[in-house]
Amino acid sequence: MIQELCGVQEVCEVAESIYVLKFVSEGISKSVCAGQFVNIKTENSFIPLLRRPFSVYRTEGESVEIIFNVIGRGSAALQRKRAGEMLDVLGPLGSPFTIHRSDFETAVLVGGGLGVAPLPILTQFLKRARKDILTILGARTARRLVDTHLEQVHVSTDDGSRGFHGTVVDLAKRLLQNHTVKNPKIFGCGPTPMLRALGVFAIEHDIPSEFSLEGPMGCGVGICQGCPVELVHGDKKYALMCTDGPTFDIHSIRI
Amino acid sequence: MSMVNTSFALAGVEFKNRVLVASGTFGYGDECLDLVDVNTLGGIITKSLSLNPRDGNPPVRIVETPCGMLNSIGLANIGVDKFVSEKLPFLRTVDTVVIANIAASTIDEYCEVLAILESHDGVDGYEINVSCPNVKDGGLSFGTNLDLTQEITRRLRSMTRRPLIIKLTPNVAYISEFARAVEDAGADAVSVINTIIGMAVDVKQRKALLPTVTGGLSGPAIKPVALAKVYEASRAVKIPVLGIGGIMTTEDAIEFLMVGAAAVQVGTANFIDPGAGTKIAHGIRRFCEDQHLEDVGSLVGCLEAEVDASVLHSWL
């Protein structure tokens, strides 16, 4: 975990109102694992007061990328950043996806909306681990799809403007019920209702699954106790999204 | 080499500087070792410890507000026994003062927790949380009751010679009365202030943003309130006042010292920068060097333009 002032390299609109911000941090780029996040102070003021967590989207050399849409003050500030400006970044944080296991051969990456965020870096790691990859993406419309830096992509849109007309979970069910997918494990990320539906399907079909959750955090490092995730069993009622997560085995949490 | 004396003593315990990290904002001291050299802090105050582990409140626990945040953590903590077995071994190795913060829902429970800690090395003193606004039982109901606050202090005082600090709530009419009551009962210091009760509303849903409806407000938004409470309390008692409330910068900390705090606690700032406390400790030293002051203590209560107590009360 390091905290440093990082130079912004660029901010690009990669789909309608969706941006990728690239900054330089050799330390984070070299140490981050798929599924981890960075916590960014978006403005040098007390509004907004807290940092904002972003999954690492991709790394390239000494550069790190995050992806976001503009939903509030913090993300609006990021969208206005220009090359050369400095960004106070803390990371890499959180527990990564578990990929070096022999309990699967095909990684099935399922991303709803901005749930695509951790999938490109996950793809980088999975390729290194020589796993087969199948990617299933969903978006409201084709204009909001971000499908670069991924492998074997299948697409769904809510309005049918591209690919399968329906939800990403419905598409995932179709593809997974087709038995050509060998020994799958689902890596899911997206809105909670989507993950809930995907989780029900995965448990019914006994497919190992790990989800990356998103939610408000205070500190990102486990000191504020502000981001509880309800656990299903064990002696603790809650885990912390920031340190125990953001990735969780679906059997361990109630979402 | 700096010649500024940054240290101060409290009930026989020497602090290397006047900047501590506030309870609940620095975990158990071992979470951010990659980022912070905890030995540069004046002291670490632990997350509130209760007799049994506490799960804490369901989500949502934190809501950001302008220049501040509301929290409703609900005293989530590992419990005193696990603290002793899992956290104290590390805390024994640090070269800074370790203060255990204690929360409970009955007076006997406060005593039980303190008794357990008293039987171990590694804890240099206690801060008593009589003012948590986010739990149903105990917490604030003690801190707003003068007799109970005094009784807790008296009972705990009889059990320990280690420094005993009572953390007071601002959610009372006159914090000075509470400071005086615990001083009379034998407390060595008071921490002023805990969070201020606050709330935030989602107008579309017509719901409070926190499921507990209200929470504790902290951050820069509360600094002016905290300064006024420290000013009031420090003029009412002879024991040291530890100033807390929205300290983000060196200048903020110096303001607290000037209005009468003998030391400060950095809280919410740790969530944004876990190194905030060490940077502020360094900044205070630099300020004194620049001002050719030999002792940080000379800043304590140095505010000019004193007003008399009757005027002070008429503001409130």
Side-chain angles (χ1 to χ4, degrees):
Chain A
M1 190 198 315
I2 54 175
Q3 181 183 354
E4 68 177 340
L5 280 177
C6 304
V8 174
Q9 289 177 296
E10 59 179 3
V11 183
C12 292
E13 189 172 14
V14 292
E16 188 180 272
S17 303
I18 297 176
Y19 300 86
V20 168
L21 183 150
K22 186 175 189 176
F23 61 88
V24 186
S25 172
E26 189 183 1
I28 294 173
S29 153
K30 295 280 183 280
S31 59
V32 67
C33 295
Q36 288 189 298
F37 67 98
V38 290
N39 216 5
I40 296 180
K41 184 81 180 96
T42 59
E43 278 190 277
N44 195 16
S45 78
F46 298 146
I47 304 179
L49 179 65
L50 300 171
R51 289 172 183 270
R52 293 287 183 270
F54 297 93
S55 285
V56 169
Y57 175 67
R58 232 180 119 241
T59 62
E60 191 178 10
E62 296 177 0
S63 303
V64 179
E65 293 176 359
I66 58 164
I67 188 168
F68 61 96
N69 60 353
V70 176
I71 46 169
R73 260 193 116 112
S75 46
L78 283 183
Q79 189 247 316
R80 288 192 302 271
K81 299 283 178 201
R82 291 295 168 257
E85 285 187 58
M86 302 307 277
L87 206 55
D88 180 347
V89 184
L90 186 60
L93 304 173
S95 302
F97 284 118
T98 317
I99 56 176
H100 293 286
R101 291 248 303 256
S102 52
D103 62 349
F104 71 100
E105 285 170 71
T106 310
V108 181
L109 281 49
V110 185
L114 269 176
V116 69
L119 304 187
I121 187 173
L122 178 59
T123 301
Q124 291 176 313
F125 275 76
L126 287 165
K127 280 165 82 173
R128 263 178 251 158
R130 298 182 184 285
K131 298 285 188 183
D132 290 334
I133 302 171
L134 174 68
T135 308
I136 309 166
L137 291 184
R140 286 208 305 272
T141 163
R143 296 189 309 279
R144 303 265 302 170
L145 260 175
V146 185
D147 58 358
T148 46
H149 309 297
L150 298 166
E151 299 276 313
Q152 300 292 327
V153 183
H154 297 255
V155 166
S156 74
T157 49
D158 294 351
D159 65 358
S161 53
R162 209 178 120 193
F164 176 77
H165 187 176
T167 71
V168 69
V169 177
D170 286 335
L171 178 58
K173 285 179 185 173
R174 275 189 182 206
L175 294 167
L176 283 164
Q177 278 161 349
N178 163 355
H179 293 287
T180 59
V181 181
K182 237 169 64 184
N183 205 4
K185 173 173 175 176
I186 296 174
F187 295 87
C189 185
T192 304
M194 172 211 134
L195 292 182
R196 210 173 275 145
L198 188 60
V200 168
F201 169 77
I203 289 171
E204 267 174 15
H205 291 79
D206 204 19
I207 304 171
S209 301
E210 226 175 338
F211 289 173
S212 174
L213 304 188
E214 190 192 16
M217 286 181 193
C219 66
V221 294
I223 53 180
C224 79
Q225 301 280 323
C227 55
V229 176
E230 195 176 344
L231 294 172
V232 190
H233 43 68
D235 56 348
K236 284 200 309 182
K237 186 165 180 192
Y238 299 110
L240 292 181
M241 192 184 295
C242 67
T243 47
D244 301 312
T247 65
F248 290 95
D249 185 294
I250 48 161
H251 291 282
S252 67
I253 52 166
R254 202 183 304 280
I255 52 173
Chain B
M1 195 58 198
S2 162
M3 296 301 287
V4 179
N5 174 22
T6 58
S7 68
F8 82 110
L10 177 64
V13 171
E14 184 89 3
F15 294 70
K16 64 172 74 165
N17 63 57
R18 293 174 189 256
V19 181
L20 291 78
V21 283
S23 178
T25 68
F26 210 71
Y28 304 99
D30 61 351
E31 286 86 347
C32 294
L33 299 176
D34 288 357
L35 301 176
V36 192
D37 177 5
V38 294
N39 299 330
T40 59
L41 292 167
I44 297 171
I45 306 181
T46 69
K47 176 91 188 131
S48 280
L49 301 168
S50 50
L51 187 59
N52 298 308
R54 289 184 63 112
D55 293 319
N57 291 336
V60 173
R61 291 182 180 175
I62 282 183
V63 171
E64 200 173 34
T65 59
C67 299
M69 56 174 272
L70 288 163
N71 86 76
S72 180
I73 307 297
L75 296 176
N77 79 97
I78 57 176
V80 68
D81 290 331
K82 236 177 175 182
F83 171 78
V84 167
S85 61
E86 292 179 10
K87 301 295 181 181
L88 255 190
F90 164 73
L91 289 170
R92 285 192 189 101
T93 69
V94 302
D95 180 24
T96 186
V97 174
V98 174
I99 307 282
N101 182 293
I102 302 175
S105 45
T106 65
I107 296 182
D108 286 342
E109 202 180 315
Y110 279 109
C111 295
E112 277 186 73
V113 177
L114 187 129
I116 291 168
L117 293 169
E118 195 66 8
S119 65
H120 291 88
D121 292 339
V123 171
D124 300 304
Y126 305 103
E127 181 182 68
I128 309 305
N129 182 359
V130 290
S131 45
C132 177
N134 299 322
V135 290
K136 284 197 204 105
D137 45 353
L140 197 55
S141 58
F142 288 120
T144 55
N145 182 314
L146 208 53
D147 293 336
L148 279 173
T149 302
Q150 199 166 30
E151 177 63 14
I152 292 167
T153 309
R154 195 176 290 125
R155 289 272 302 276
L156 296 175
R157 174 75 290 164
S158 70
M159 297 172 63
T160 183
R161 292 178 165 215
R162 292 173 178 170
L164 180 65
I165 306 161
I166 310 297
K167 187 168 186 176
L168 300 179
T169 174
N171 302 303
V172 294
Y174 296 112
I175 204 164
S176 47
E177 293 178 353
F178 286 79
R180 221 176 277 126
V182 302
E183 179 181 49
D184 290 347
D188 295 305
V190 286
S191 295
V192 174
I193 56 177
N194 206 327
T195 54
I196 302 172
I197 292 177
M199 68 184 285
V201 175
D202 179 335
V203 293
K204 284 188 186 143
Q205 308 268 345
R206 303 186 181 198
K207 274 184 178 167
L209 283 164
L210 285 172
T212 49
V213 183
T214 60
L217 182 64
S218 68
I222 74 167
K223 192 186 78 171
V225 178
L227 281 168
K229 297 291 181 189
V230 169
Y231 183 75
E232 181 195 337
S234 65
R235 267 144 191 79
V237 293
K238 294 195 180 65
I239 55 175
V241 174
L242 310 184
I244 334 170
I247 297 174
M248 306 296 286
T249 66
T250 297
E251 197 169 300
D252 294 338
I254 292 170
E255 286 184 63
F256 276 82
L257 297 176
M258 287 183 170
V259 303
V264 297
Q265 296 180 20
V266 174
T268 299
N270 294 316
F271 297 157
I272 297 117
D273 178 4
T278 64
K279 287 171 189 163
I280 289 168
H282 181 72
I284 293 173
R285 179 202 289 254
R286 285 287 301 274
F287 179 85
C288 290
E289 284 168 357
D290 292 347
Q291 302 255 321
H292 307 292
L293 302 174
E294 287 174 4
D295 190 335
V296 178
S298 64
L299 294 171
V300 175
C302 74
L303 195 72
E304 292 184 19
E306 288 281 336
V307 288
D308 71 50
S310 60
V311 179
L312 181 65
H313 271 187
S314 71
W315 299 345
L316 298 164

